[in-house]
Amino acid sequence: MADAATKCGLLACGAAVGAAVAWKLAHRPYTPPKKWTAPAGGSGGKWASINAETSGAREEKALPVGDHDVQLYSLGTPNGVKVTILLEELVGILPGFEYDAWLTKIGGDQFGSGFVAINPNSKIPALYDRSTETRVFESGSILVYLCDRYDTKGEFLPLEGPERTECLNWLFWQMGSGGYLGGGFGHFYSYAPVKIKYAIDRFTMEAKRQLHLLDSVLATKKFLCGERFTIADMAVYPWYGKIAQGSLYGAKEFLDVDTYPNLIRWAEDCAARPGVVRGNKVNRTWGKQADQLHNRHARSDFDALPKDE
């Protein structure tokens, strides 16, 4: 019994020493070299195996092509969901509109030659419109392109005037601010191999400022641009709406999201729309099987999903 107790004590002591060493290594002063070189084994973290300092294709790999004009290559991340929400909203108002959505896993699919030909930046989502032979990359650009091309009545992006400008204001706000929420807060809070207090505090401060901004704006508006659901909401919801609902980064309590009631109400209004419900399922590979439609080619594809578990 004494030997067992001694062994447990030594193990606990060893763990404590290891934790202390890890803390010191993580917090030791760092002086950047005159010229940066990539660390051996990558930068660490979840995506270390695919991160690189160079762009371009890494293998010859053609993309699949479906029957419809619009071909989307994406994954159900927040940036991907922006586009699938709009596509499903267009399906809801345009009887003859269809599209193909192909699952593109970010473990390496985005470095195939076919994907890089559409998006040289190797990021999802990427879209090709066969009817105009047009490639479109960057989620905000895709939203604007799809509205200008197919939303001819301006249901989701006003056609002109101050209303259009206001919608674009919020779209570009998200494009500029989202990096702080995802690549900043989300990365250091959820994905970084070492938790760094300075980095988490820095990006949490900015994330909460952005949440407060949205909550203040939505105190007097149903949606970001007024009474209409637009691409501004489609761009903001997958990031900030899902933070408000607690389904992104598991950070609802950490960010004290309950102090933003207007943001929560707006997120619930967005999430209840049928187009948003369907858009959230397209190219998704996690969660309940009923919420995962890996590839989407027709409206009827949703009917083949299992019922809610």
Side-chain angles (χ1 to χ4, degrees):
M1 183 70 72
D3 288 344
T6 300
K7 183 179 291 186
C8 288
L10 290 173
L11 288 173
C13 182
V17 170
V21 170
W23 189 93
K24 288 184 177 180
L25 289 173
H27 292 79
R28 63 184 175 183
Y30 171 67
T31 302
K34 291 183 178 180
K35 182 184 293 186
W36 182 86
T37 57
S43 58
K46 184 176 181 179
W47 307 111
S49 62
I50 64 170
N51 289 339
E53 60 190 290
T54 56
S55 62
R58 300 180 188 176
E59 64 174 328
E60 288 295 321
K61 185 177 181 180
L63 289 174
V65 179
D67 295 331
H68 307 299
D69 288 335
V70 174
Q71 302 291 305
L72 176 70
Y73 304 94
S74 190
L75 181 66
T77 65
N79 284 333
V81 167
K82 296 177 195 176
V83 177
T84 51
I85 287 175
L86 174 57
L87 287 167
E88 288 301 325
E89 291 282 351
L90 290 173
V91 166
I93 65 171
L94 303 174
F97 181 80
E98 278 289 7
Y99 70 98
D100 293 290
W102 301 93
L103 177 63
T104 305
K105 296 181 180 179
I106 57 177
D109 288 352
Q110 75 273 35
F111 300 116
S113 57
F115 189 92
V116 173
I118 296 179
N119 185 357
N121 194 39
S122 294
K123 304 288 184 182
I124 62 95
L127 181 144
Y128 189 77
D129 189 339
R130 300 166 70 198
S131 69
T132 58
E133 297 184 348
T134 302
R135 74 175 188 181
V136 198
F137 59 92
E138 290 298 320
S139 57
S141 180
I142 294 173
L143 295 180
V144 173
Y145 173 83
L146 287 172
C147 284
D148 286 346
R149 174 81 175 107
Y150 295 101
D151 182 19
T152 57
K153 294 183 179 180
E155 292 287 337
F156 304 117
L157 173 60
L159 300 178
E160 60 184 4
E163 294 82 7
R164 180 182 176 92
T165 300
E166 181 68 2
C167 184
L168 294 176
N169 285 342
W170 284 108
L171 172 62
F172 285 103
W173 174 84
Q174 191 284 317
M175 296 296 292
S177 299
Y180 288 97
L181 185 66
F185 171 77
H187 176 79
F188 286 105
Y189 181 77
S190 294
Y191 301 133
V194 175
K195 303 303 181 188
I196 303 171
K197 185 178 186 302
Y198 171 80
I200 292 174
D201 285 348
R202 167 68 180 88
F203 287 109
T204 299
M205 185 78 71
E206 177 59 14
K208 286 184 67 64
R209 188 193 70 82
Q210 293 175 7
L211 294 171
H212 182 268
L213 167 63
L214 291 171
D215 189 68
S216 299
V217 169
L218 291 165
T220 58
K221 296 179 180 181
K222 181 176 182 179
F223 295 109
L224 285 171
C225 297
E227 292 300 305
R228 296 172 59 186
F229 181 73
T230 69
I231 59 171
D233 303 286
M234 298 180 204
V236 175
Y237 165 75
W239 287 104
Y240 299 88
K242 292 194 175 186
I243 281 281
Q245 294 179 303
S247 60
L248 188 62
Y249 304 130
K252 184 175 182 179
E253 182 178 1
F254 181 79
L255 292 171
D256 197 14
V257 169
D258 288 340
T259 58
Y260 309 114
N262 304 307
L263 179 64
I264 293 174
R265 186 272 310 160
W266 165 84
E268 292 173 348
D269 287 346
C270 291
R273 295 179 63 89
V276 175
V277 173
R278 295 193 304 273
N280 271 321
K281 297 181 179 183
V282 177
N283 298 147
R284 185 181 176 95
T285 60
W286 57 91
K288 298 186 295 185
Q289 291 299 311
D291 293 334
Q292 297 184 37
L293 184 59
H294 292 185
N295 296 295
R296 188 264 190 221
H297 305 294
R299 301 165 191 237
S300 58
D301 289 345
F302 293 97
D303 298 332
L305 291 174
K307 301 303 180 184
D308 287 338
E309 300 166 358

